[in-house]
Amino acid sequence: MTEFSLTRRSFIVAGLASCAFARSAHAAYPDKPVRWIVGYPPGGATDAIARLIGRPMSTSLAQPIIVDNRPGAGSSVGASALAASPKDGYTVASADNGTLIINPVVYRNLQYDPDRDFRPVGLYAGINLLLCVRTDSPIRTGAEYLEKAGSASQPLLYASPGIGTPLHLAMERLARDAKVPLKHVAYKGMAPALNDLMAGVVDSIVIDYTTAGPAIKGGSVRPLAVFSEARLAVLPDVPTIAEQGLPGFTAGAWHGLIVPSGTSDEVVDRLSKGLATALTDPLVKTRYAELGLDMPASDPETFRRRWDDDKALWQPLIKSLDIKLDG
């Protein structure tokens, strides 16, 4: 074989390889499975909602979505893993108020900066918070609770799932705005907090409806008020706290999907559309109604506004409380 033949064949092979590379580089996103980081353990509410959404979103994207649980430090472990991931749309993560708003203020050694490291894809769940007491409590309404808190010789005790959580901060803001003393009792999770409420260790609890629903239906817990703007469809007879003496007061939590900063607009748009499609799935809508979850607009712009608004609202409160945690 002549040198010319070898050279010509080499060019042909190189050309074919170049074309294959070009096709691969410009392949429609996504062309392989997407990893969804959840910064909490399997079986919890955040994990369950992500898996519920992940199934129809996987169908919309025509690729498997693989949930990767990375629990620890109030979702900071998972968020740090996302920050270090490639900016190609094949790694996404759940984010909540804690991930983006609270952790940057309370954790001393945070390994990520939300504003620098992440961009929003879309919100996918609004979490409704309740103020509850035991059913044998003499307090029957949110207004009575605030009146009792203002006149009691000792501050009323309220339980939350932990220091610096959105639920803890909601009650701290309630105490500040209502000008009443309340004493926080922090637990490692919602289940032990709820158990101690029912055992009489604490007077009250701030809790999400998703967790409280069975206890309310079972008659062991009485909801006094919801912290949302409007009454919940699942609890139509329970007034908002705004209806009971604090006009304009709202507090809640939310879940959204984020990707690393630098991810292209085209990829973010594809993920956002996939998320929006997933939220129209009949099973998702049914489960959301059962769990008392709100279904927010799922576009990046709405998420960014909520992120910025909550940052301005909550971070000054957190700083005033001087909450610091090791992460």
Side-chain angles (χ1 to χ4, degrees):
M1 184 177 296
T2 66
E3 181 179 349
F4 173 79
S5 299
L6 284 171
T7 303
R8 183 171 180 275
R9 178 173 294 182
S10 298
F11 274 117
I12 292 171
V13 172
L16 291 173
S18 177
C19 290
F21 177 78
R23 286 196 300 271
S24 174
H26 293 90
Y29 170 87
D31 64 354
K32 63 181 181 180
V34 175
R35 180 171 63 122
W36 184 330
I37 296 174
V38 173
Y40 296 94
T46 303
D47 175 72
I49 297 169
R51 292 177 188 274
L52 175 66
I53 294 293
R55 181 191 59 79
M57 189 172 172
S58 174
T59 301
S60 177
L61 296 177
Q63 288 293 337
I65 291 180
I66 302 167
V67 173
D68 180 9
N69 295 93
R70 298 286 189 95
S75 79
S76 295
V77 171
S80 298
L82 179 70
S85 298
K87 303 168 176 48
D88 57 8
Y90 290 102
T91 305
V92 302
S94 295
D96 57 19
N97 313 53
T99 313
L100 303 178
I101 310 297
I102 301 170
N103 291 352
V105 182
V106 303
Y107 282 102
R108 294 183 176 90
N109 301 305
L110 202 65
Q111 300 301 305
Y112 67 90
D113 179 328
D115 296 312
R116 179 195 66 206
D117 294 329
F118 307 133
R119 65 177 298 184
V121 172
L123 295 167
Y124 60 84
I127 313 298
N128 289 298
L129 306 185
L130 314 173
L131 173 62
C132 296
V133 293
R134 295 182 307 280
T135 49
D136 62 357
S137 170
I139 303 173
R140 307 194 66 84
T141 68
E144 288 181 10
Y145 180 86
L146 295 177
E147 182 180 356
K148 174 74 171 177
S151 61
S153 57
Q154 297 293 328
L156 296 182
L157 303 179
Y158 75 89
S160 91
I163 296 173
T165 60
L167 292 86
H168 167 217
L169 296 173
M171 285 297 284
E172 290 293 338
R173 185 162 151 248
L174 177 69
R176 183 196 68 184
D177 290 4
K179 298 180 174 59
V180 297
L182 297 172
K183 187 173 181 180
H184 182 217
V185 182
Y187 289 83
K188 292 183 178 180
M190 206 73 259
L194 187 58
N195 288 340
D196 268 11
L197 173 74
M198 293 188 288
V201 177
V202 291
D203 304 299
S204 57
I205 191 170
V206 55
I207 190 169
D208 61 283
Y209 178 80
T210 306
T211 304
I216 293 171
K217 293 173 184 176
S220 56
V221 169
R222 177 190 302 136
L224 303 179
V226 297
F227 288 177
S228 51
E229 291 184 4
R231 298 190 186 195
L232 305 186
V234 289
L235 294 173
D237 297 327
V238 180
T240 67
I241 198 69
E243 294 178 81
Q244 302 184 73
L246 280 181
F249 183 95
T250 61
W254 39 260
H255 293 165
L257 196 67
I258 57 175
V259 291
S261 292
T263 303
S264 71
D265 292 344
E266 292 79 9
V267 168
V268 170
D269 182 63
R270 182 70 184 92
L271 286 167
S272 181
K273 288 177 178 176
L275 181 63
T277 300
L279 291 174
T280 67
D281 181 82
L283 176 59
V284 172
K285 295 170 77 170
T286 297
R287 288 295 291 150
Y288 268 45
E290 294 170 348
L291 297 171
L293 297 172
D294 290 338
M295 192 170 285
S298 58
D299 58 283
E301 293 75 20
T302 298
F303 190 174
R304 171 58 70 182
R305 286 194 299 271
R306 184 63 184 270
W307 180 347
D308 290 340
D309 289 348
D310 277 12
K311 183 178 177 181
L313 175 66
W314 293 104
Q315 287 195 348
L317 174 64
I318 300 166
K319 292 174 182 176
S320 74
L321 296 170
D322 196 29
I323 301 171
K324 294 296 179 184
L325 300 171
D326 294 320

